[in-house]
Amino acid sequence: MRILMVCLGNICRSPIAEGVLKHKANELGLSWQVDSAGTEPYHIGEAPHRFSQKVCLRNGIDISGQRARQFTASDFEKYDIIYAMADDVYREIKRIGGNKANMNRVAYFLNEVMPGSDASVPDPWYGGEDGFTEVFDLINKTCDVIADKYAQHK
Ligand code: 4NP
């Protein structure tokens, strides 16, 4: 499986999802490719937010080596599933993709735990550290479901 997690800045939500799903895939012996990207260019080249790093490390996952990059239309050719962390992100993925946008490959991340809800992972960027802990728990549960769902795909 080749899975891309996408949020706005690629420094808070999607880097956590990348790190957590990679970790679970490794534990299950699945040689998946898991990456993340942001629809906005503001933080290109930056490491994940310090609270994203902190909450992951507290759970045994080191994401300090990840670097933000921007989502591009060519990502539609490089991934089997593109997960949108939020509804604004979903719309931007479609816009950036232009005539390369294959929306059959794009799913709302939280639809894996709340089918059909098209719900958004709250953006912790504007709040304090607690927001990152809540977001981690939500992402962790959802990644459990994803790992289980596609475990037969090596
Ligand atoms: P993320 O959070 O999309 O989860 O990485 C954000 C990070 C930065 C900004 C917005 C959201 N920003 O406006 O710079």
Side-chain angles (χ1 to χ4, degrees), residues 81-135:
I81 307 175
I82 296 168
Y83 280 116
M85 307 297 289
D87 50 11
D88 48 357
V89 173
Y90 186 96
R91 288 192 297 273
E92 276 301 288
I93 287 171
K94 189 173 181 179
R95 190 189 64 77
I96 293 168
N99 60 13
K100 283 189 172 175
N102 176 0
M103 298 308 281
N104 293 325
R105 295 198 173 178
V106 185
Y108 279 82
F109 179 73
L110 288 183
N111 279 2
E112 297 291 5
V113 286
M114 290 179 272
S117 66
D118 293 357
S120 298
V121 178
D123 190 347
W125 171 251
Y126 302 100
E129 190 171 354
D130 287 353
F132 286 79
T133 305
E134 285 164 29
V135 160

Side-chain angles (χ1 to χ4, degrees), residues 15-32:
I16 296 176
E18 175 186 341
V20 167
L21 189 60
K22 258 185 191 154
H23 185 78
K24 292 185 193 297
N26 282 338
E27 281 186 330
L28 292 169
L30 303 167
S31 53
W32 290 0

Side-chain angles (χ1 to χ4, degrees), residues 7-14 42-43 123-126:
C7 63
L8 291 176
N10 194 208
I11 55 164
C12 299
R13 293 165 291 181
S14 62
Y42 313 133
H43 300 280
D123 190 347
W125 171 251
Y126 302 100

